[in-house]
Amino acid sequence: MSEIIFKTYDKIALNEREAFRYMSCKSPDEQMKRLFEECLSECLGALSYKACWREFPLLFCGDEINLGFARTKSKALFTNLKGCEKIVLFAATVGHEMDRLIKKQFLLSPAKSVCLQAIGSERVESLCDTLNAELKEQYKKQGFLLKPRFSPGYGDLSLSLQREIMPALDCAKLLGISLGENLMMSPSKSVTAIIGVYK
């Protein structure tokens, strides 16, 4: 088991097309584009891009996966990690400010609230993509390749795994992420995931 690595980012490249996809808007008109730009100007400066990650050994025990920090019998994750000898567990967030802005606009302007939701989702996914690209380069130098990231709640991987992920990465202290009774993270624009590492 390795140490937890923590990193902050000043800027993350914007995928505007992806943000509009989250709004189910394939061809935004001028009014939609103006709303989008207005929301961007309100939130971009307030976001806090933070991530942490940690490497764990991986063992397969029959149909059970020993992730180093927890055990699971997820068939989907088993398939994803097949051929891997270790994993990288990571968490990423854009901070609490986005939630505050979304909540504020929910009553003032529902359209803005929806737009901010979409931007928040794009921001944290782009943060994850940036981190994944960096990890890919780091492990490539060591002779390893990475599988696609796999998050709790996807396929048959239970959200309850979040209870083990939070302390394994010290998410509360490093990222300010807490877990509710419904297993949802706060800030809501946060992601945890497992990445398989193989030769």
Side-chain angles (χ1 to χ4, degrees), residues 61 63-65 71-78 156-157:
C61 311
D63 61 349
E64 185 179 71
I65 313 167
R71 294 171 182 263
T72 177
K73 289 189 175 182
S74 165
K75 292 180 181 178
L77 183 62
F78 191 100
D156 64 346
L157 184 60

Side-chain angles (χ1 to χ4, degrees), residues 155-174:
D156 64 346
L157 184 60
S158 174
L159 269 178
S160 63
L161 191 66
Q162 298 284 38
R163 294 193 183 102
E164 280 75 42
I165 292 176
M166 293 294 119
L169 291 175
D170 205 358
C171 288
K173 181 180 178 182
L174 295 177

Side-chain angles (χ1 to χ4, degrees), residues 6 19 22 31 48 52 73 86 99 102 115 146 150 153 188:
F6 169 78
Y22 281 118
Q31 184 179 358
S48 175
C52 63
K73 289 189 175 182
K86 52 188 173 182
D99 284 349
I102 292 169
C115 189
L146 302 183
F150 202 103
S188 65

Side-chain angles (χ1 to χ4, degrees), residues 39 41 47 52 55 66 70 77 87 90 108 118 125 138 153 188:
C39 289
S41 65
L47 300 182
C52 63
E55 185 182 286
N66 184 342
L77 183 62
I87 63 162
F90 82 84
L108 296 176
E125 287 300 325
Q138 288 178 25
S188 65

Side-chain angles (χ1 to χ4, degrees), residues 92-127:
T93 186
V94 297
H96 286 281
E97 187 61 19
M98 180 58 88
D99 284 349
R100 191 191 69 78
L101 289 172
I102 292 169
K103 187 176 180 180
K104 175 185 173 183
Q105 292 297 338
F106 184 74
L107 294 175
L108 296 176
S109 172
K112 265 192 176 183
S113 181
V114 170
C115 189
L116 287 167
Q117 282 277 11
I119 291 171
S121 296
E122 181 280 329
R123 292 287 70 208
V124 73
E125 287 300 325
S126 288
L127 171 58

Side-chain angles (χ1 to χ4, degrees), residues 15 21 38-39 98 106 132 134 142 162 178 188 190 195:
N15 188 334
R21 186 182 71 81
E38 191 176 330
C39 289
M98 180 58 88
F106 184 74
N132 281 191
E134 291 179 1
Q142 301 172 37
Q162 298 284 38
S178 60
S188 65
S190 302
I195 305 174

Side-chain angles (χ1 to χ4, degrees), residues 132-198:
N132 281 191
E134 291 179 1
L135 290 171
K136 184 178 179 180
E137 286 303 308
Q138 288 178 25
Y139 278 95
K140 186 178 180 181
K141 292 174 183 176
Q142 301 172 37
F144 291 98
L145 297 173
L146 302 183
K147 291 287 186 81
R149 62 181 182 261
F150 202 103
S151 292
Y154 182 77
D156 64 346
L157 184 60
S158 174
L159 269 178
S160 63
L161 191 66
Q162 298 284 38
R163 294 193 183 102
E164 280 75 42
I165 292 176
M166 293 294 119
L169 291 175
D170 205 358
C171 288
K173 181 180 178 182
L174 295 177
L175 304 181
I177 300 176
S178 60
L179 198 63
E181 290 184 9
N182 60 357
L183 300 177
M184 294 293 106
M185 289 181 286
S186 177
S188 65
K189 302 308 177 184
S190 302
V191 170
T192 60
I194 296 162
I195 305 174
V197 182
Y198 65 102

Side-chain angles (χ1 to χ4, degrees), residues 36-92:
F36 182 77
E37 290 299 326
E38 191 176 330
C39 289
L40 271 181
S41 65
E42 287 183 17
C43 73
L44 280 188
L47 300 182
S48 175
Y49 305 105
K50 295 185 288 186
C52 63
W53 62 95
R54 189 176 193 177
E55 185 182 286
F56 289 91
L58 175 67
L59 290 172
F60 295 95
C61 311
D63 61 349
E64 185 179 71
I65 313 167
N66 184 342
L67 297 166
F69 68 94
R71 294 171 182 263
T72 177
K73 289 189 175 182
S74 165
K75 292 180 181 178
L77 183 62
F78 191 100
T79 300
N80 177 271
L81 295 179
K82 195 172 182 180
C84 295
E85 58 184 70
K86 52 188 173 182
I87 63 162
V88 172
L89 177 69
F90 82 84

